[in-house]
Amino acid sequence: MPRLLWLPILLAATPLAAQEWNEPRVAALVERAVERRQVVATDSALRSYRTVAHGFGVCLAQVGEGRREPARLVKADQLDVEVYWQAPDRSKQIILGWRDGAFLPTDIQYHRDHLGIVTNNFGNTIRIGEGDEVRDAVHPLSPAGLELYDFALEDSLALRNADRTLTVYAVRVRPRTFGRPLVVGTLFLEVETAELVRFRFSFTPTAYRDPELEDISVVLENSLVDGRYWLPWRQEVEIRRRTTWLDFPARGIIRGRWEIGDYEFNVPLPPGVMAGPAIGGLTAPNGGAYPWDRPLDAAVRDAAPPASRQDMDALRAEVERIAGERALTGLKPTRLAAGSISNLARVTRVQGLTLGVGATLGVAERRLVLHPSIAIGTSDGRVTGGLALDAGTGATRLTVAAERRVRDLSDLPVISPVVNSLLAQESGRDAGDYVLLESVSLEIAQRISGRTTLRLGAVWEGSHDLAVAATPANGSYRSNPPLGAGDYRSLRLRLDRSGGGPAARDDL
């Protein structure tokens, strides 16, 4: 049985001199890579292979302002899939083992192609979710891709194989026209052969066919097998979804992670194995009927480490830099918005019932977004709200904002805002202490890495006392303390670092 040669462990990154898009050197390299893909597809020495792919799929939920909190595990699946390939480009995958566990109530269903691997680096066109999520996005290394994409050399990298060190070029790729269903990302091409070793990418907004898709991130890694064939070694995909009509700080996430090894070449394929759908075998989890080597919770803990989340965050930061001022989200640019349920309706003793609404007003295909919001207290008649403008290019974002808010002085709420509203209305028990804040701010945020952002801001803020203005259904309110402190001007430097992986759970 041929031996799988490991790839890639990063040894060094040597930045190249500043490169221009589509310069002759990168154009020649990419043309070699396109030709190489065509040659591999017609290599008469490789007639067939068989291997087994080991995969995990996890479904997560992420809620919270800024969505910096770790995602919560909802469901996990583990699969073993037998993979057959036959020249020139026929493949069949058979699900041998499949088990799942639900850690929160869910009815999530996978597309069938989420349960298998990509056997041909997507070929000339890329489809995900059986074409329901992404359909027919042209591959950069297809013959048509040469006319549709811009290319630029970024780095030269030394990658260690099991028996030698390889040199690859990192080639940035972006569409010449962002209005078409195409990809944005980085190709890693082996210098000697121009073979595609690694491909990290996301998509343009028009590539997403499902309106709930926020974005899809994909990493394909190939390894040199038997000293001759570059074949799938590791693959990851992350699919993020949000509501279509409301910009609310919550998203659903599906992550898939696959490892492939132990290839057998030019072996006789079982009769009729290629018949039927591309992914056959089990159609539902078969639990303990398959001989798994350890419990599911232990397997998931090892398969979904923080490093996986960090890698996908780094990929999104990478494609943002490549796309510049172009927006890469598949969501509608204009939607209603709410930071939390209490932003829509809440009850306090200083305003009574307060009703609010916000919106996200974006410019199509651009990272330019206006965030207006307004709220009115029914007891005090006070109008509050804000207006913020976000403009982004590459890894940099500029925010200009003006606000007038009634806020609880506590940095950490002592009670859920929804529960506090119910207690305040029905029994006069309001746990908050409130102050009226008026502010104007300017902030520049620089994304340093996938999870880390450095923020520098200038703020003018004025604070004012508030008096009790409402009456509860039962009981009475205590007075609101005088908390106004006048006007202040400040400079702020802040380092934000988001959670590294799924939030810890007792059952994991």
Side-chain angles (χ1 to χ4, degrees), residues 346-354 406-410 413-435 466-481:
R346 66 182 184 275
V347 176
T348 66
R349 64 184 183 278
V350 297
Q351 286 191 289
L353 174 63
T354 303
V406 171
R407 286 189 52 187
D408 185 351
L409 187 64
S410 173
V414 297
I415 191 173
S416 161
V418 174
V419 174
N420 187 72
S421 292
L422 293 173
L423 293 175
Q425 170 63 28
E426 299 302 322
S427 63
R429 296 168 55 193
D430 186 346
D433 293 316
Y434 302 97
V435 62
L466 291 172
V468 173
T471 302
N474 300 287
S476 61
Y477 289 125
R478 62 185 175 88
S479 62
N480 190 61

mmCIF file of all heavy atoms in Angstrom, residues 346-354 406-410 413-435 466-481:
data_model
loop_
_atom_site.group_PDB
_atom_site.id
_atom_site.type_symbol
_atom_site.label_atom_id
_atom_site.label_comp_id
_atom_site.label_asym_id
_atom_site.label_seq_id
_atom_site.Cartn_x
_atom_site.Cartn_y
_atom_site.Cartn_z
ATOM 1 N N ARG A 346 -38.468 47.349 26.038
ATOM 2 C CA ARG A 346 -38.007 47.142 27.407
ATOM 3 C C ARG A 346 -38.801 48.061 28.324
ATOM 4 O O ARG A 346 -39.436 49.030 27.877
ATOM 5 C CB ARG A 346 -36.508 47.428 27.541
ATOM 6 C CG ARG A 346 -36.124 48.882 27.308
ATOM 7 C CD ARG A 346 -34.617 49.080 27.419
ATOM 8 N NE ARG A 346 -34.247 50.487 27.281
ATOM 9 C CZ ARG A 346 -34.045 51.108 26.122
ATOM 10 N NH1 ARG A 346 -34.196 50.431 24.986
ATOM 11 N NH2 ARG A 346 -33.712 52.384 26.081
ATOM 12 N N VAL A 347 -38.746 47.762 29.606
ATOM 13 C CA VAL A 347 -39.428 48.575 30.615
ATOM 14 C C VAL A 347 -38.413 48.975 31.676
ATOM 15 O O VAL A 347 -37.697 48.125 32.217
ATOM 16 C CB VAL A 347 -40.601 47.809 31.263
ATOM 17 C CG1 VAL A 347 -41.235 48.651 32.372
ATOM 18 C CG2 VAL A 347 -41.651 47.443 30.212
ATOM 19 N N THR A 348 -38.327 50.270 31.963
ATOM 20 C CA THR A 348 -37.502 50.783 33.055
ATOM 21 C C THR A 348 -38.299 51.829 33.813
ATOM 22 O O THR A 348 -39.281 52.377 33.306
ATOM 23 C CB THR A 348 -36.203 51.437 32.528
ATOM 24 O OG1 THR A 348 -36.549 52.610 31.783
ATOM 25 C CG2 THR A 348 -35.416 50.476 31.655
ATOM 26 N N ARG A 349 -37.866 52.143 35.039
ATOM 27 C CA ARG A 349 -38.600 53.118 35.837
ATOM 28 C C ARG A 349 -38.370 54.555 35.361
ATOM 29 O O ARG A 349 -39.134 55.451 35.709
ATOM 30 C CB ARG A 349 -38.228 52.986 37.313
ATOM 31 C CG ARG A 349 -36.780 53.281 37.662
ATOM 32 C CD ARG A 349 -36.550 52.998 39.148
ATOM 33 N NE ARG A 349 -35.205 53.315 39.612
ATOM 34 C CZ ARG A 349 -34.153 52.534 39.469
ATOM 35 N NH1 ARG A 349 -34.296 51.369 38.843
ATOM 36 N NH2 ARG A 349 -32.961 52.898 39.942
ATOM 37 N N VAL A 350 -37.318 54.782 34.531
ATOM 38 C CA VAL A 350 -37.048 56.149 34.078
ATOM 39 C C VAL A 350 -37.703 56.466 32.740
ATOM 40 O O VAL A 350 -37.815 57.633 32.366
ATOM 41 C CB VAL A 350 -35.532 56.408 33.991
ATOM 42 C CG1 VAL A 350 -34.890 56.288 35.361
ATOM 43 C CG2 VAL A 350 -34.863 55.458 32.994
ATOM 44 N N GLN A 351 -38.149 55.439 32.010
ATOM 45 C CA GLN A 351 -38.800 55.677 30.724
ATOM 46 C C GLN A 351 -40.104 54.933 30.548
ATOM 47 O O GLN A 351 -40.864 55.219 29.626
ATOM 48 C CB GLN A 351 -37.864 55.260 29.572
ATOM 49 C CG GLN A 351 -36.698 56.207 29.316
ATOM 50 C CD GLN A 351 -35.997 55.880 28.016
ATOM 51 O OE1 GLN A 351 -35.312 54.867 27.907
ATOM 52 N NE2 GLN A 351 -36.180 56.734 27.023
ATOM 53 N N GLY A 352 -40.394 53.973 31.420
ATOM 54 C CA GLY A 352 -41.546 53.118 31.212
ATOM 55 C C GLY A 352 -41.291 52.167 30.063
ATOM 56 O O GLY A 352 -40.160 51.719 29.836
ATOM 57 N N LEU A 353 -42.341 51.862 29.317
ATOM 58 C CA LEU A 353 -42.182 51.014 28.151
ATOM 59 C C LEU A 353 -41.481 51.815 27.055
ATOM 60 O O LEU A 353 -41.935 52.882 26.653
ATOM 61 C CB LEU A 353 -43.546 50.536 27.641
ATOM 62 C CG LEU A 353 -43.536 49.747 26.322
ATOM 63 C CD1 LEU A 353 -42.748 48.454 26.466
ATOM 64 C CD2 LEU A 353 -44.960 49.474 25.848
ATOM 65 N N THR A 354 -40.356 51.285 26.574
ATOM 66 C CA THR A 354 -39.585 51.939 25.522
ATOM 67 C C THR A 354 -39.551 51.036 24.302
ATOM 68 O O THR A 354 -39.185 49.867 24.403
ATOM 69 C CB THR A 354 -38.143 52.223 25.982
ATOM 70 O OG1 THR A 354 -38.177 53.019 27.170
ATOM 71 C CG2 THR A 354 -37.367 52.951 24.908
ATOM 72 N N VAL A 406 -30.133 55.844 26.933
ATOM 73 C CA VAL A 406 -30.361 55.623 28.360
ATOM 74 C C VAL A 406 -29.742 54.281 28.686
ATOM 75 O O VAL A 406 -30.134 53.245 28.135
ATOM 76 C CB VAL A 406 -31.861 55.630 28.706
ATOM 77 C CG1 VAL A 406 -32.076 55.190 30.152
ATOM 78 C CG2 VAL A 406 -32.451 57.008 28.471
ATOM 79 N N ARG A 407 -28.750 54.296 29.587
ATOM 80 C CA ARG A 407 -28.002 53.076 29.870
ATOM 81 C C ARG A 407 -27.981 52.761 31.348
ATOM 82 O O ARG A 407 -27.977 53.663 32.199
ATOM 83 C CB ARG A 407 -26.554 53.231 29.387
ATOM 84 C CG ARG A 407 -26.388 53.158 27.884
ATOM 85 C CD ARG A 407 -24.933 53.109 27.519
ATOM 86 N NE ARG A 407 -24.243 52.046 28.252
ATOM 87 C CZ ARG A 407 -22.923 51.865 28.230
ATOM 88 N NH1 ARG A 407 -22.150 52.689 27.543
ATOM 89 N NH2 ARG A 407 -22.378 50.881 28.911
ATOM 90 N N ASP A 408 -27.952 51.466 31.617
ATOM 91 C CA ASP A 408 -27.689 51.004 32.974
ATOM 92 C C ASP A 408 -26.208 51.250 33.254
ATOM 93 O O ASP A 408 -25.352 50.883 32.448
ATOM 94 C CB ASP A 408 -28.029 49.522 33.081
ATOM 95 C CG ASP A 408 -27.911 48.975 34.502
ATOM 96 O OD1 ASP A 408 -27.401 49.709 35.382
ATOM 97 O OD2 ASP A 408 -28.296 47.819 34.709
ATOM 98 N N LEU A 409 -25.896 51.876 34.371
ATOM 99 C CA LEU A 409 -24.513 52.240 34.659
ATOM 100 C C LEU A 409 -23.622 51.017 34.824
ATOM 101 O O LEU A 409 -22.424 51.067 34.558
ATOM 102 C CB LEU A 409 -24.446 53.101 35.923
ATOM 103 C CG LEU A 409 -23.069 53.687 36.256
ATOM 104 C CD1 LEU A 409 -22.636 54.655 35.167
ATOM 105 C CD2 LEU A 409 -23.075 54.359 37.614
ATOM 106 N N SER A 410 -24.179 49.898 35.244
ATOM 107 C CA SER A 410 -23.376 48.698 35.472
ATOM 108 C C SER A 410 -22.791 48.179 34.174
ATOM 109 O O SER A 410 -23.479 48.083 33.153
ATOM 110 C CB SER A 410 -24.232 47.601 36.117
ATOM 111 O OG SER A 410 -23.533 46.383 36.200
ATOM 112 N N PRO A 413 -24.595 43.482 33.482
ATOM 113 C CA PRO A 413 -25.971 43.473 33.996
ATOM 114 C C PRO A 413 -26.148 42.426 35.086
ATOM 115 O O PRO A 413 -25.657 41.299 34.963
ATOM 116 C CB PRO A 413 -26.809 43.150 32.757
ATOM 117 C CG PRO A 413 -25.867 42.531 31.790
ATOM 118 C CD PRO A 413 -24.528 43.133 32.053
ATOM 119 N N VAL A 414 -26.834 42.810 36.147
ATOM 120 C CA VAL A 414 -27.056 41.888 37.265
ATOM 121 C C VAL A 414 -28.228 40.961 37.006
ATOM 122 O O VAL A 414 -28.460 40.018 37.767
ATOM 123 C CB VAL A 414 -27.278 42.679 38.574
ATOM 124 C CG1 VAL A 414 -26.041 43.487 38.921
ATOM 125 C CG2 VAL A 414 -28.505 43.584 38.459
ATOM 126 N N ILE A 415 -28.971 41.221 35.934
ATOM 127 C CA ILE A 415 -30.144 40.421 35.620
ATOM 128 C C ILE A 415 -30.393 40.514 34.121
ATOM 129 O O ILE A 415 -29.983 41.486 33.472
ATOM 130 C CB ILE A 415 -31.374 40.932 36.415
ATOM 131 C CG1 ILE A 415 -32.544 39.946 36.316
ATOM 132 C CG2 ILE A 415 -31.791 42.325 35.931
ATOM 133 C CD1 ILE A 415 -33.709 40.320 37.221
ATOM 134 N N SER A 416 -31.032 39.522 33.565
ATOM 135 C CA SER A 416 -31.389 39.562 32.153
ATOM 136 C C SER A 416 -32.287 40.764 31.878
ATOM 137 O O SER A 416 -33.241 41.023 32.628
ATOM 138 C CB SER A 416 -32.118 38.281 31.765
ATOM 139 O OG SER A 416 -32.842 38.439 30.568
ATOM 140 N N PRO A 417 -32.037 41.546 30.807
ATOM 141 C CA PRO A 417 -32.898 42.691 30.500
ATOM 142 C C PRO A 417 -34.353 42.307 30.313
ATOM 143 O O PRO A 417 -35.251 43.066 30.688
ATOM 144 C CB PRO A 417 -32.287 43.243 29.206
ATOM 145 C CG PRO A 417 -30.855 42.832 29.254
ATOM 146 C CD PRO A 417 -30.861 41.487 29.913
ATOM 147 N N VAL A 418 -34.620 41.143 29.734
ATOM 148 C CA VAL A 418 -36.006 40.713 29.535
ATOM 149 C C VAL A 418 -36.674 40.440 30.878
ATOM 150 O O VAL A 418 -37.803 40.873 31.141
ATOM 151 C CB VAL A 418 -36.054 39.466 28.633
ATOM 152 C CG1 VAL A 418 -37.476 38.925 28.546
ATOM 153 C CG2 VAL A 418 -35.523 39.787 27.241
ATOM 154 N N VAL A 419 -35.977 39.713 31.764
ATOM 155 C CA VAL A 419 -36.530 39.434 33.094
ATOM 156 C C VAL A 419 -36.694 40.724 33.882
ATOM 157 O O VAL A 419 -37.705 40.929 34.575
ATOM 158 C CB VAL A 419 -35.621 38.443 33.851
ATOM 159 C CG1 VAL A 419 -36.101 38.250 35.287
ATOM 160 C CG2 VAL A 419 -35.569 37.109 33.128
ATOM 161 N N ASN A 420 -35.732 41.629 33.769
ATOM 162 C CA ASN A 420 -35.831 42.905 34.483
ATOM 163 C C ASN A 420 -37.042 43.706 34.016
ATOM 164 O O ASN A 420 -37.731 44.339 34.826
ATOM 165 C CB ASN A 420 -34.556 43.718 34.265
ATOM 166 C CG ASN A 420 -34.527 44.968 35.119
ATOM 167 O OD1 ASN A 420 -34.346 44.902 36.330
ATOM 168 N ND2 ASN A 420 -34.727 46.125 34.485
ATOM 169 N N SER A 421 -37.334 43.678 32.709
ATOM 170 C CA SER A 421 -38.503 44.388 32.191
ATOM 171 C C SER A 421 -39.790 43.830 32.781
ATOM 172 O O SER A 421 -40.700 44.582 33.165
ATOM 173 C CB SER A 421 -38.535 44.303 30.665
ATOM 174 O OG SER A 421 -37.484 45.036 30.088
ATOM 175 N N LEU A 422 -39.891 42.492 32.871
ATOM 176 C CA LEU A 422 -41.098 41.868 33.441
ATOM 177 C C LEU A 422 -41.262 42.220 34.914
ATOM 178 O O LEU A 422 -42.360 42.569 35.375
ATOM 179 C CB LEU A 422 -41.026 40.355 33.254
ATOM 180 C CG LEU A 422 -41.094 39.846 31.803
ATOM 181 C CD1 LEU A 422 -40.838 38.348 31.759
ATOM 182 C CD2 LEU A 422 -42.452 40.177 31.194
ATOM 183 N N LEU A 423 -40.159 42.152 35.682
ATOM 184 C CA LEU A 423 -40.238 42.477 37.104
ATOM 185 C C LEU A 423 -40.541 43.953 37.323
ATOM 186 O O LEU A 423 -41.307 44.322 38.225
ATOM 187 C CB LEU A 423 -38.922 42.106 37.789
ATOM 188 C CG LEU A 423 -38.594 40.608 37.853
ATOM 189 C CD1 LEU A 423 -37.205 40.401 38.460
ATOM 190 C CD2 LEU A 423 -39.639 39.860 38.664
ATOM 191 N N ALA A 424 -39.950 44.825 36.486
ATOM 192 C CA ALA A 424 -40.192 46.256 36.629
ATOM 193 C C ALA A 424 -41.648 46.593 36.340
ATOM 194 O O ALA A 424 -42.265 47.405 37.055
ATOM 195 C CB ALA A 424 -39.272 47.032 35.695
ATOM 196 N N GLN A 425 -42.231 46.003 35.324
ATOM 197 C CA GLN A 425 -43.596 46.310 34.958
ATOM 198 C C GLN A 425 -44.604 45.749 35.957
ATOM 199 O O GLN A 425 -45.557 46.429 36.363
ATOM 200 C CB GLN A 425 -43.891 45.734 33.558
ATOM 201 C CG GLN A 425 -45.361 45.771 33.146
ATOM 202 C CD GLN A 425 -45.912 47.169 33.049
ATOM 203 O OE1 GLN A 425 -45.168 48.108 32.780
ATOM 204 N NE2 GLN A 425 -47.215 47.329 33.287
ATOM 205 N N GLU A 426 -44.405 44.528 36.393
ATOM 206 C CA GLU A 426 -45.421 43.863 37.204
ATOM 207 C C GLU A 426 -45.281 44.098 38.696
ATOM 208 O O GLU A 426 -46.285 44.097 39.417
ATOM 209 C CB GLU A 426 -45.405 42.357 36.912
ATOM 210 C CG GLU A 426 -45.724 42.008 35.463
ATOM 211 C CD GLU A 426 -47.087 42.530 35.036
ATOM 212 O OE1 GLU A 426 -48.025 42.487 35.850
ATOM 213 O OE2 GLU A 426 -47.205 43.005 33.882
ATOM 214 N N SER A 427 -44.056 44.284 39.198
ATOM 215 C CA SER A 427 -43.901 44.380 40.657
ATOM 216 C C SER A 427 -43.082 45.579 41.106
ATOM 217 O O SER A 427 -42.818 45.728 42.302
ATOM 218 C CB SER A 427 -43.251 43.096 41.189
ATOM 219 O OG SER A 427 -41.943 42.942 40.647
ATOM 220 N N GLY A 428 -42.648 46.431 40.171
ATOM 221 C CA GLY A 428 -41.879 47.613 40.563
ATOM 222 C C GLY A 428 -40.448 47.305 40.970
ATOM 223 O O GLY A 428 -39.787 48.141 41.590
ATOM 224 N N ARG A 429 -39.931 46.151 40.611
ATOM 225 C CA ARG A 429 -38.563 45.757 40.968
ATOM 226 C C ARG A 429 -37.654 45.944 39.754
ATOM 227 O O ARG A 429 -37.520 45.068 38.906
ATOM 228 C CB ARG A 429 -38.539 44.314 41.439
ATOM 229 C CG ARG A 429 -39.325 44.067 42.726
ATOM 230 C CD ARG A 429 -39.517 42.590 42.989
ATOM 231 N NE ARG A 429 -38.237 41.871 43.016
ATOM 232 C CZ ARG A 429 -38.138 40.548 42.983
ATOM 233 N NH1 ARG A 429 -39.250 39.803 42.886
ATOM 234 N NH2 ARG A 429 -36.959 39.965 43.032
ATOM 235 N N ASP A 430 -37.047 47.113 39.660
ATOM 236 C CA ASP A 430 -36.135 47.436 38.569
ATOM 237 C C ASP A 430 -34.718 47.411 39.126
ATOM 238 O O ASP A 430 -34.358 48.234 39.981
ATOM 239 C CB ASP A 430 -36.475 48.817 38.004
ATOM 240 C CG ASP A 430 -35.660 49.164 36.769
ATOM 241 O OD1 ASP A 430 -34.664 48.470 36.505
ATOM 242 O OD2 ASP A 430 -36.008 50.141 36.085
ATOM 243 N N ALA A 431 -33.875 46.481 38.642
ATOM 244 C CA ALA A 431 -32.530 46.305 39.196
ATOM 245 C C ALA A 431 -31.513 47.289 38.631
ATOM 246 O O ALA A 431 -30.386 47.358 39.118
ATOM 247 C CB ALA A 431 -32.051 44.869 38.927
ATOM 248 N N GLY A 432 -31.881 48.070 37.597
ATOM 249 C CA GLY A 432 -30.917 48.954 36.963
ATOM 250 C C GLY A 432 -30.815 50.318 37.637
ATOM 251 O O GLY A 432 -31.717 50.755 38.367
ATOM 252 N N ASP A 433 -29.699 50.991 37.416
ATOM 253 C CA ASP A 433 -29.484 52.394 37.794
ATOM 254 C C ASP A 433 -29.069 53.118 36.526
ATOM 255 O O ASP A 433 -28.027 52.783 35.935
ATOM 256 C CB ASP A 433 -28.410 52.521 38.876
ATOM 257 C CG ASP A 433 -28.857 51.913 40.194
ATOM 258 O OD1 ASP A 433 -30.013 52.143 40.596
ATOM 259 O OD2 ASP A 433 -28.059 51.187 40.812
ATOM 260 N N TYR A 434 -29.837 54.136 36.117
ATOM 261 C CA TYR A 434 -29.755 54.630 34.752
ATOM 262 C C TYR A 434 -29.175 56.031 34.664
ATOM 263 O O TYR A 434 -29.338 56.859 35.565
ATOM 264 C CB TYR A 434 -31.148 54.605 34.109
ATOM 265 C CG TYR A 434 -31.751 53.224 34.115
ATOM 266 C CD1 TYR A 434 -32.653 52.840 35.114
ATOM 267 C CD2 TYR A 434 -31.384 52.289 33.162
ATOM 268 C CE1 TYR A 434 -33.190 51.566 35.131
ATOM 269 C CE2 TYR A 434 -31.912 51.005 33.174
ATOM 270 C CZ TYR A 434 -32.807 50.647 34.165
ATOM 271 O OH TYR A 434 -33.336 49.383 34.195
ATOM 272 N N VAL A 435 -28.519 56.261 33.505
ATOM 273 C CA VAL A 435 -27.935 57.554 33.200
ATOM 274 C C VAL A 435 -28.159 57.824 31.714
ATOM 275 O O VAL A 435 -28.197 56.896 30.900
ATOM 276 C CB VAL A 435 -26.419 57.568 33.537
ATOM 277 C CG1 VAL A 435 -25.669 56.557 32.693
ATOM 278 C CG2 VAL A 435 -25.837 58.948 33.369
ATOM 279 N N LEU A 466 -31.207 61.134 35.541
ATOM 280 C CA LEU A 466 -32.558 60.764 35.120
ATOM 281 C C LEU A 466 -33.431 60.551 36.349
ATOM 282 O O LEU A 466 -32.964 60.014 37.367
ATOM 283 C CB LEU A 466 -32.538 59.479 34.288
ATOM 284 C CG LEU A 466 -31.906 59.572 32.891
ATOM 285 C CD1 LEU A 466 -31.790 58.189 32.267
ATOM 286 C CD2 LEU A 466 -32.726 60.485 31.989
ATOM 287 N N ALA A 467 -34.674 60.957 36.251
ATOM 288 C CA ALA A 467 -35.632 60.781 37.349
ATOM 289 C C ALA A 467 -36.629 59.692 36.996
ATOM 290 O O ALA A 467 -36.814 59.346 35.821
ATOM 291 C CB ALA A 467 -36.356 62.095 37.621
ATOM 292 N N VAL A 468 -37.281 59.140 38.008
ATOM 293 C CA VAL A 468 -38.321 58.130 37.786
ATOM 294 C C VAL A 468 -39.493 58.791 37.062
ATOM 295 O O VAL A 468 -39.965 59.856 37.464
ATOM 296 C CB VAL A 468 -38.781 57.521 39.116
ATOM 297 C CG1 VAL A 468 -39.974 56.599 38.895
ATOM 298 C CG2 VAL A 468 -37.636 56.767 39.772
ATOM 299 N N ALA A 469 -39.968 58.137 35.985
ATOM 300 C CA ALA A 469 -41.053 58.717 35.192
ATOM 301 C C ALA A 469 -42.198 57.749 34.966
ATOM 302 O O ALA A 469 -43.203 58.119 34.365
ATOM 303 C CB ALA A 469 -40.506 59.184 33.844
ATOM 304 N N ALA A 470 -42.073 56.516 35.438
ATOM 305 C CA ALA A 470 -43.082 55.498 35.165
ATOM 306 C C ALA A 470 -43.714 55.003 36.456
ATOM 307 O O ALA A 470 -43.203 55.232 37.561
ATOM 308 C CB ALA A 470 -42.447 54.334 34.416
ATOM 309 N N THR A 471 -44.826 54.274 36.294
ATOM 310 C CA THR A 471 -45.539 53.679 37.428
ATOM 311 C C THR A 471 -45.761 52.203 37.131
ATOM 312 O O THR A 471 -46.292 51.860 36.069
ATOM 313 C CB THR A 471 -46.894 54.363 37.635
ATOM 314 O OG1 THR A 471 -46.690 55.757 37.856
ATOM 315 C CG2 THR A 471 -47.626 53.756 38.829
ATOM 316 N N PRO A 472 -45.362 51.285 38.031
ATOM 317 C CA PRO A 472 -45.544 49.854 37.772
ATOM 318 C C PRO A 472 -46.983 49.422 37.979
ATOM 319 O O PRO A 472 -47.803 50.144 38.577
ATOM 320 C CB PRO A 472 -44.614 49.208 38.789
ATOM 321 C CG PRO A 472 -44.601 50.164 39.932
ATOM 322 C CD PRO A 472 -44.693 51.536 39.325
ATOM 323 N N ALA A 473 -47.315 48.227 37.512
ATOM 324 C CA ALA A 473 -48.663 47.689 37.710
ATOM 325 C C ALA A 473 -48.926 47.416 39.182
ATOM 326 O O ALA A 473 -50.048 47.587 39.668
ATOM 327 C CB ALA A 473 -48.827 46.409 36.892
ATOM 328 N N ASN A 474 -47.913 47.013 39.922
ATOM 329 C CA ASN A 474 -48.027 46.747 41.356
ATOM 330 C C ASN A 474 -46.785 47.284 42.061
ATOM 331 O O ASN A 474 -45.687 47.289 41.502
ATOM 332 C CB ASN A 474 -48.147 45.234 41.618
ATOM 333 C CG ASN A 474 -49.360 44.620 40.958
ATOM 334 O OD1 ASN A 474 -50.482 44.827 41.388
ATOM 335 N ND2 ASN A 474 -49.125 43.865 39.883
ATOM 336 N N GLY A 475 -46.950 47.728 43.315
ATOM 337 C CA GLY A 475 -45.819 48.224 44.078
ATOM 338 C C GLY A 475 -45.402 49.617 43.635
ATOM 339 O O GLY A 475 -46.171 50.364 43.010
ATOM 340 N N SER A 476 -44.167 49.953 43.925
ATOM 341 C CA SER A 476 -43.646 51.276 43.574
ATOM 342 C C SER A 476 -42.159 51.169 43.281
ATOM 343 O O SER A 476 -41.474 50.253 43.744
ATOM 344 C CB SER A 476 -43.888 52.263 44.711
ATOM 345 O OG SER A 476 -43.218 51.833 45.889
ATOM 346 N N TYR A 477 -41.655 52.123 42.500
ATOM 347 C CA TYR A 477 -40.247 52.132 42.138
ATOM 348 C C TYR A 477 -39.421 52.877 43.181
ATOM 349 O O TYR A 477 -39.876 53.871 43.762
ATOM 350 C CB TYR A 477 -40.048 52.828 40.789
ATOM 351 C CG TYR A 477 -40.542 52.059 39.596
ATOM 352 C CD1 TYR A 477 -41.455 52.630 38.706
ATOM 353 C CD2 TYR A 477 -40.081 50.775 39.323
ATOM 354 C CE1 TYR A 477 -41.890 51.944 37.585
ATOM 355 C CE2 TYR A 477 -40.525 50.078 38.216
ATOM 356 C CZ TYR A 477 -41.430 50.662 37.352
ATOM 357 O OH TYR A 477 -41.861 49.964 36.254
ATOM 358 N N ARG A 478 -38.191 52.426 43.377
ATOM 359 C CA ARG A 478 -37.246 53.208 44.152
ATOM 360 C C ARG A 478 -36.721 54.343 43.269
ATOM 361 O O ARG A 478 -36.819 54.299 42.045
ATOM 362 C CB ARG A 478 -36.097 52.332 44.641
ATOM 363 C CG ARG A 478 -35.260 51.698 43.540
ATOM 364 C CD ARG A 478 -34.213 50.753 44.116
ATOM 365 N NE ARG A 478 -33.487 50.048 43.065
ATOM 366 C CZ ARG A 478 -32.393 50.497 42.471
ATOM 367 N NH1 ARG A 478 -31.883 51.691 42.819
ATOM 368 N NH2 ARG A 478 -31.787 49.805 41.527
ATOM 369 N N SER A 479 -36.175 55.351 43.861
ATOM 370 C CA SER A 479 -35.660 56.488 43.107
ATOM 371 C C SER A 479 -34.411 56.086 42.331
ATOM 372 O O SER A 479 -33.701 55.143 42.709
ATOM 373 C CB SER A 479 -35.342 57.651 44.049
ATOM 374 O OG SER A 479 -34.330 57.268 44.975
ATOM 375 N N ASN A 480 -34.134 56.793 41.249
ATOM 376 C CA ASN A 480 -32.925 56.551 40.459
ATOM 377 C C ASN A 480 -31.826 57.474 40.980
ATOM 378 O O ASN A 480 -32.030 58.686 41.099
ATOM 379 C CB ASN A 480 -33.190 56.835 38.977
ATOM 380 C CG ASN A 480 -32.049 56.375 38.093
ATOM 381 O OD1 ASN A 480 -31.732 55.190 38.065
ATOM 382 N ND2 ASN A 480 -31.445 57.308 37.376
ATOM 383 N N PRO A 481 -30.666 56.966 41.310
ATOM 384 C CA PRO A 481 -29.610 57.808 41.894
ATOM 385 C C PRO A 481 -29.082 58.829 40.881
ATOM 386 O O PRO A 481 -29.119 58.594 39.672
ATOM 387 C CB PRO A 481 -28.519 56.798 42.269
ATOM 388 C CG PRO A 481 -28.760 55.629 41.375
ATOM 389 C CD PRO A 481 -30.243 55.560 41.191
#
